[in-house]
Amino acid sequence: MAQEPVWSDRRRIIFGLPWTFTKYTITKEKLLVESGVFNKNEEEIRLYRIMDLTLKRSFWQRLFGLGTVHCCTADKSTPEVNIANIKQSSRVKDLLSDLVETERMAKRVASREFFSDGDGDADGDGDADHDL
């Protein structure tokens, strides 16, 4: 059963015109990115897997009222996704952030962040932690 979109838009080009073949859709549970004309590609990212959101707005994007929302995810096939050149990008980032938190609470998912320097030291204290 397909969910109703909470937000949907197309990637925009010069002057903010939606003359591209990339479409973004946000539902209460998923972020969908559809691209392509002849060969279609659809990426699906569950909202509870989104770990971090960043709003990027270059000078040219600001000039035409556009922005890009960069998403870092825990999804193996799509670790990063850009919702590029969209109108009302700040509002979309806030909407997506709220939906991510709501979905995490509903699914009882906690995000755990580990920082490692590559030698097995996840907590940064210099000692590799091992279960004995």
Side-chain angles (χ1 to χ4, degrees):
M1 180 170 90
Q3 282 191 346
E4 288 292 317
V6 174
W7 173 86
S8 185
D9 198 2
R10 290 195 175 278
R11 181 178 183 173
R12 295 174 182 269
I13 57 170
I14 194 163
F15 307 122
L17 299 172
W19 291 342
T20 65
F21 299 99
T22 302
K23 181 180 177 186
Y24 307 106
T25 304
I26 299 173
T27 69
K28 290 183 179 182
E29 295 179 356
K30 302 174 190 176
L31 167 62
L32 302 166
V33 181
E34 298 174 45
S35 59
V37 178
F38 299 111
N39 297 320
K40 291 282 197 177
N41 186 33
E42 183 177 302
E43 295 284 341
E44 175 183 307
I45 298 99
R46 296 279 177 174
L47 294 184
Y48 71 87
R49 292 185 161 276
I50 295 176
M51 306 303 286
D52 187 48
L53 297 169
T54 305
L55 177 61
K56 298 179 180 184
R57 297 186 73 207
S58 70
F59 172 76
W60 294 108
Q61 284 177 317
R62 290 192 325 266
L63 192 63
F64 295 109
L66 305 174
T68 296
V69 178
H70 178 78
C71 307
C72 294
T73 75
D75 191 275
K76 291 189 190 259
S77 66
T78 314
E80 294 185 5
V81 65
N82 283 318
I83 306 172
N85 295 334
I86 55 170
K87 290 198 172 267
Q88 300 180 348
S89 55
S90 181
R91 187 185 72 80
V92 172
K93 178 189 161 283
D94 292 342
L95 170 70
L96 189 55
S97 181
D98 291 344
L99 288 170
V100 166
E101 288 304 315
T102 300
E103 189 65 8
R104 281 190 185 164
M105 288 174 37
K107 297 222 182 285
R108 296 184 178 151
V109 174
S111 70
R112 295 183 182 154
E113 298 182 36
F114 295 100
F115 299 98
S116 174
D117 59 6
D119 66 359
D121 179 21
D123 61 4
D125 64 2
D127 298 328
D129 298 323
H130 299 285
D131 293 334
L132 299 176

